[in-house]
Amino acid sequence: MEIIDAIILGIIQGLTEFLPVSSSGHLELGKAILGDQSIPQESLLFTVVLHFATALSTLVVFRKDVFEILGGLLKFKWNKETQFSLKIVISMLPAAAVGLFFEKELEGFFGGNIAFVGYMLLITALLLFLADKAKETQKNVSYLNAFVIGVSQAIAILPGISRSGATISTSVLLGVDKTKAARFSFLMVVPLIIGKMAKDILGGELHFQSDQSLAMGVGFIAAFLAGLIACTWMIQLVKKSKLSYFAVYCFIVGCIAIGFGLWA
């Protein structure tokens, strides 16, 4: 992989992990446009590295929340931090189950099927449009909400369905406060990313070669820095109900992807 390609894909991942436009879908589109010829193992390793970078940027942006949660957990009491952590665990269950039992089936969606990505982007556009019209509330995430949001996160494993878009939209449509919805959406994915990385590493599915170091490094830095900017920006956009702009964007890119996939 060329250095410039690694930087471009890193920026795409960093921005689209938080902006509701589907990071996996845009990575597939980016690889197709750049003519990525990486073998599957190398492509998987690069994708894992980029996801780790965005997970780290999430922890940096929400460092105060993370420290409060960890501090509350260490008190070993049934406090709000413990309850929030339990909701995070509940939200992880659907995606963990899908990843565990349907991993091979899911791999078939990540083979450059650009038209499929386009159709999924149209679904993302619809979700964002509906969420932008939802009424403002002060409601917290409940245990049932956490599971339903987790189901939407599991569906968002498909390339083209935005994870942040699906989870934030689902939260808002369930009546959750928009700021709290964004916070929950961004924090709930961190344990999943770390868990997926651990599984891939322990399972020997990641193959690293020394000549990949520079590309991996610059891709990581690009994704991390872009993630810091996008995460902070996205929180403000959700507060101001600006999701409709991304709905239009996803609709346009989705239509282009469908056309490209069907007639290219």
Side-chain angles (χ1 to χ4, degrees), residues 38-55:
S38 301
I39 61 175
Q41 292 89 344
E42 292 176 346
S43 185
L44 173 62
L45 175 60
F46 188 68
T47 300
V48 170
V49 168
L50 296 188
H51 277 88
F52 178 65
T54 50

Side-chain angles (χ1 to χ4, degrees), residues 156-173:
I157 292 175
L158 296 173
I161 300 290
S162 166
R163 192 208 65 81
S164 62
T167 53
I168 292 174
S169 295
T170 300
S171 301
V172 172
L173 291 173

Side-chain angles (χ1 to χ4, degrees), residues 108-130:
F109 293 106
F110 291 84
N113 191 341
I114 304 304
F116 178 82
V117 172
Y119 289 122
M120 295 303 101
L121 280 169
L122 296 186
I123 294 176
T124 296
L126 177 60
L127 285 173
L128 294 174
F129 177 79
L130 293 175

